[in-house]
Amino acid sequence: NVTSGTTVSSDVTFQVNMSVQIELGAFDPDTSTLNVAGEFNGWSTSDFVLARSGTDPNLWVGTRTLTGAAGSSVLYKCVMNGTWEGFRE
């Protein structure tokens, strides 16, 4: 019975498949960086770095404990090589 006034904490795993960006040459798995910036870290572009998965060479992952009001959403964006949402389609 969690109400909207209750604060909750939960581990959230962010996963980004970078295969398209690698194929386009926009992301070098050996030298490029992928971060997550959001409300939870003051929109820092360097605080939360995703790391290459040990099981999928195209997948970058990271887990962060987030705290907020029950039922609320959290705004975030990916930052590739220091550029906000630098993904090409």
Side-chain angles (χ1 to χ4, degrees):
N1 293 339
V2 178
T3 65
S4 61
T6 302
T7 299
V8 294
S9 291
S10 184
D11 287 341
V12 176
T13 299
F14 294 82
Q15 301 182 90
V16 182
N17 186 318
M18 297 301 291
S19 60
V20 172
Q21 298 305 313
I22 293 168
E23 182 69 26
L24 290 171
F27 189 83
D28 181 338
D30 297 321
T31 60
S32 292
T33 60
L34 186 64
N35 300 356
V36 178
E39 297 173 316
F40 57 88
N41 66 358
W43 295 99
S44 171
T45 60
S46 60
D47 172 62
F48 182 26
V49 181
L50 300 185
R52 194 176 205 174
S53 166
T55 58
D56 183 339
N58 294 315
L59 192 64
W60 266 248
V61 297
T63 301
R64 188 49 88 79
T65 301
L66 302 184
T67 302
S72 65
S73 60
V74 176
L75 299 176
Y76 68 92
K77 291 185 178 187
C78 288
V79 181
M80 183 176 77
N81 296 323
T83 302
W84 292 94
E85 298 185 302
F87 300 101
R88 291 186 266 167
E89 295 182 26

